[in-house]
Amino acid sequence: MRERPAGPGWSCPTPARVWTCGGSALAAVRAAQTTRGRGRSPRVAAPAASSLGPRALPSAFRPHLPARDRQAIMKVLLLKDAKDDACGQDPYVRELGLYGLEATLIPVLAFEFLSLPSFSEKLCRPEDYGGLIFTSPRAVEAAQLCLEKSGKAEVWERSLRAKWNVKSVYVVGGATASLVSKIGLCADGEHSGNAEKLAEHICSKESSPLPLLFPCGTLKREVLPTVLKEQGVPMESITVYETVPHPGIRGNLDSYYSKQGVPDSVAFFSPSGVKYSLKHIEELSGDSVGQIKFAAIGPTTARALAAQGLRVSCTAESPTPQALAAGIRKALPLPGGC
């Protein structure tokens, strides 16, 4: 059974979003960090990315540089959808801004949710499982949809959540862990970084004869299931979402290139993102594609890029905004060619 959840953000194209942080904004952030050590916690107010384009930013957030130098600001293209944090800004955009880099978000993936009634039934039977495994934010979103659509939200709050919380809830990455915490579950293994390391972590802890419930996508890799099977850890998987190309990929990329030109760096966040967007990137970049520093959020995505004959200049040490931003800044040449 296939479901297309209604509401904004699920099936409609997401426009590309731009937020710039450089020059005086960087100085303001550093000043704020300095004053925190003196007992104060000032905040630098960031404009909402959904309503402001690069020309609409308040003067306090524009680099105060001569026009000639502004053109030298390095641009990074992030091939992902926006995930605003408590400050109202995507954390990857913010981290890159701290290095004086201008980042643009363009979503390249869309998702369709599958088998939600069946998944809902399984979530209502925690006594049948030894725990849960979430390796993507989308799998957690599927769980949220199950609770909302089946009318089980109240039962979840009253009893189901506590029953799952006495079991292990394994996750990969901070984004997935954050969503897991929002539905009231305690995440374990978020610092694993990838499915291989999470599988090792699970095998070092699990002793329950009950299977772990693993909601996953149609494009899941077999590394985690294979390792668990080899180590005798029972697992039951259920496919709850399908990954498809975002309908606005080409239009958003055309718009970006026509206004911004060829980016200095392009960051990919999944093998699917490589599959659905790399061809467009190469066509639009033309002969300049060799000058782009390609970055990957992790080793699996890096291998997908390498398989296409591209040199990967940066693979994040961990799937976090801080690690990716630091890696991209290191890969890019310093201003002035030094």
Side-chain angles (χ1 to χ4, degrees):
M1 178 177 179
R2 176 173 299 182
E3 302 199 10
R4 288 177 179 267
W10 291 105
S11 58
C12 298
T14 305
R17 296 169 62 176
V18 180
W19 196 88
T20 305
C21 181
S24 61
L26 179 58
V29 171
R30 287 176 174 163
Q33 293 171 339
T34 302
T35 53
R36 282 196 193 100
R38 301 170 184 162
R40 293 173 291 177
S41 301
R43 285 189 177 183
V44 178
S50 59
S51 61
L52 295 176
R55 295 181 182 275
L57 293 173
S59 58
F61 284 86
R62 294 187 194 126
H64 292 297
L65 300 171
R68 180 184 58 189
D69 293 335
R70 275 187 209 143
Q71 295 174 0
I73 294 176
M74 292 189 174
K75 298 178 174 60
V76 179
L77 181 56
L78 302 173
L79 299 177
K80 65 181 287 294
D81 58 342
K83 296 290 184 183
D84 293 350
D85 59 13
C87 297
Q89 188 189 13
D90 184 274
Y92 286 90
V93 173
R94 183 178 61 251
E95 287 298 324
L96 286 162
L98 295 177
Y99 287 93
L101 302 173
E102 179 180 303
T104 301
L105 297 163
I106 292 183
V108 295
L109 303 178
F111 304 91
E112 296 176 355
F113 290 90
L114 317 170
S115 307
L116 294 187
S118 178
F119 186 28
S120 178
E121 290 177 8
K122 295 178 186 298
L123 286 174
C124 291
R125 302 198 313 269
E127 64 277 4
D128 292 347
Y129 299 97
L132 286 161
I133 303 175
F134 292 107
T135 58
S136 72
R138 230 58 60 187
V140 187
E141 290 171 6
Q144 291 175 307
L145 282 172
C146 284
L147 299 174
E148 294 169 3
K149 286 181 169 291
S150 63
K152 296 291 195 304
E154 183 177 342
V155 179
W156 176 266
E157 293 290 334
R158 188 170 64 245
S159 61
L160 287 177
R161 180 178 62 185
K163 291 179 180 178
W164 280 112
N165 261 334
V166 299
K167 304 171 183 290
S168 296
V169 181
Y170 297 106
V171 304
V172 170
T176 304
S178 177
L179 287 177
V180 163
S181 68
K182 287 181 180 178
I183 61 174
L185 298 178
C186 299
D188 181 16
E190 72 173 276
H191 299 299
S192 304
N194 56 54
E196 291 93 332
K197 292 182 180 178
L198 180 65
E200 295 173 4
H201 178 69
I202 292 172
C203 291
S204 71
K205 295 188 61 175
E206 278 302 312
S207 58
S208 172
L210 297 174
L212 297 169
L213 180 58
F214 177 34
C216 56
T218 53
L219 299 178
K220 80 174 189 302
R221 297 172 64 232
E222 294 300 322
V223 172
L224 188 144
T226 298
V227 172
L228 295 189
K229 182 178 180 180
E230 290 174 348
Q231 297 299 317
V233 177
M235 186 200 73
E236 179 183 322
S237 63
I238 176 172
T239 302
V240 296
Y241 69 92
E242 178 181 16
T243 304
V244 297
H246 192 284
I249 292 177
R250 185 68 203 219
N252 285 334
L253 285 174
D254 284 346
S255 176
Y256 175 87
Y257 271 78
S258 66
K259 297 175 181 176
Q260 306 278 358
V262 178
D264 297 284
S265 177
V266 178
F268 291 84
F269 290 77
S270 70
S272 299
V274 175
K275 176 182 178 181
Y276 296 139
S277 62
L278 181 57
K279 180 180 178 181
H280 300 315
I281 295 288
E282 291 178 322
E283 289 176 353
L284 290 167
S285 300
D287 294 338
S288 298
V289 69
Q291 301 172 15
I292 298 174
K293 302 296 184 181
F294 288 100
I297 192 62
T300 304
T301 303
R303 285 193 289 270
L305 284 167
Q308 298 300 315
L310 293 177
R311 180 178 180 274
V312 182
S313 300
C314 161
T315 301
E317 293 184 0
S318 62
T320 63
Q322 294 79 11
L324 183 66
I328 290 176
R329 177 62 274 185
K330 186 176 180 180
L332 288 171
L334 294 174
C338 300

